[in-house]
Amino acid sequence: MEHQVINQLFRRITEQDDQEAFNSFYKLLFLPVLRFSYNYTRSKEIAEEIANDVFLHCWQKRKELTNIKNPQVFLFVCAKNRAIDHARKHPSSRQIVSMTELDEQHVRFNSDPEKLLITAEMMRKVEDAVQQLPPKCRTIFILVKQYGLKYKEVAALQQLSVKTVENQLAIAMQKLTQAVNFTLEQEMARNA
């Protein structure tokens, strides 16, 4: 459903110069592009600059982008290229910022405590486990699980084979499962 909305907004931008559609497109995809850029730069400020540049480029070149089939992948490719360019020009400009600082909607609380399956602490531990993944593995996990890209799209974006994407995702899932199971065992032992 979200892919359809993204594609419709993008068509309105490229075919009708629709600024309202661009604002919605920006609001919907800025955070994913920011987080993706952060995976390359490890700097909140640089990631923000890259994300904003990507959207500015998208608006400025909108008439030339009518043949883009997957706007989300297009934005990620642009962000990746800009991050790589920035790293080449400024190899020592890295600043570590927690990914949770980039996402104000990271933890959502359920008002019914009985239905709350994942606590804020558990979410933090899962996020910590994601951050402990090797960079390539972490990026693949985020693109597939968080942004819903297909293995083939991730493979093209990362210039990898589909099999490598599958293997990296399996590694990520195994490590996250181990981290979550360890955390659950600790919680159960504490409450026993």
Side-chain angles (χ1 to χ4, degrees):
M1 178 68 165
E2 188 171 293
H3 283 294
Q4 288 176 333
V5 171
I6 291 168
N7 288 338
Q8 288 171 351
L9 290 171
F10 194 71
R11 247 188 329 263
R12 286 174 43 201
I13 293 165
T14 59
E15 295 171 5
Q16 302 167 12
D17 295 333
D18 188 333
Q19 289 183 354
E20 190 175 308
F22 180 77
N23 289 338
S24 297
F25 183 74
Y26 179 88
K27 288 176 185 173
L28 189 62
L29 291 172
F30 179 78
L31 191 57
V33 173
L34 173 67
R35 290 173 63 94
F36 180 76
S37 300
Y38 177 83
N39 278 323
Y40 285 95
T41 65
R42 305 308 259 169
S43 165
K44 181 182 175 189
E45 290 78 20
I46 295 168
E48 286 175 348
E49 183 179 321
I50 288 170
N52 280 315
D53 285 350
V54 165
F55 282 97
L56 178 62
H57 173 77
C58 184
W59 177 254
Q60 291 173 336
K61 301 291 184 181
R62 64 191 175 278
K63 290 297 181 189
E64 300 168 26
L65 304 177
T66 56
N67 293 328
I68 300 293
K69 300 289 184 233
N70 189 330
Q72 190 171 11
V73 171
F74 171 75
L75 293 176
F76 287 144
V77 169
C78 289
K80 175 185 174 186
N81 291 339
R82 288 178 188 267
I84 290 169
D85 288 345
H86 184 275
R88 283 185 191 134
K89 292 176 185 172
H90 311 282
S92 63
S93 63
R94 290 187 163 228
Q95 176 184 344
I96 303 302
V97 176
S98 168
M99 287 295 284
T100 55
E101 290 179 35
L102 300 177
D103 188 357
E104 68 268 356
Q105 299 172 347
H106 178 68
V107 179
R108 293 184 179 96
F109 293 97
N110 188 328
S111 59
D112 183 358
E114 291 180 46
K115 292 182 180 179
L116 184 60
L117 298 177
I118 300 177
T119 65
E121 184 175 339
M122 179 65 84
M123 285 297 291
R124 185 184 56 75
K125 289 182 181 188
V126 169
E127 181 65 32
D128 289 346
V130 169
Q131 290 306 309
Q132 296 305 312
L133 293 171
K136 183 188 337 180
C137 191
R138 178 179 58 242
T139 300
I140 290 169
F141 175 81
I142 290 169
L143 289 172
V144 171
K145 294 300 183 183
Q146 188 170 356
Y147 300 133
L149 297 183
K150 294 176 177 59
Y151 290 5
K152 186 176 177 182
E153 294 170 333
V154 174
L157 179 63
Q158 295 294 314
Q159 299 174 338
L160 302 168
S161 71
V162 173
K163 192 68 176 167
T164 300
V165 170
E166 290 172 358
N167 290 339
Q168 290 294 309
L169 192 58
I171 291 167
M173 295 304 292
Q174 181 181 21
K175 289 185 179 195
L176 291 176
T177 300
Q178 289 171 348
V180 171
N181 283 340
F182 178 71
T183 301
L184 288 175
E185 289 171 7
Q186 286 179 329
E187 289 292 321
M188 290 171 58
R190 250 190 269 158
N191 295 330

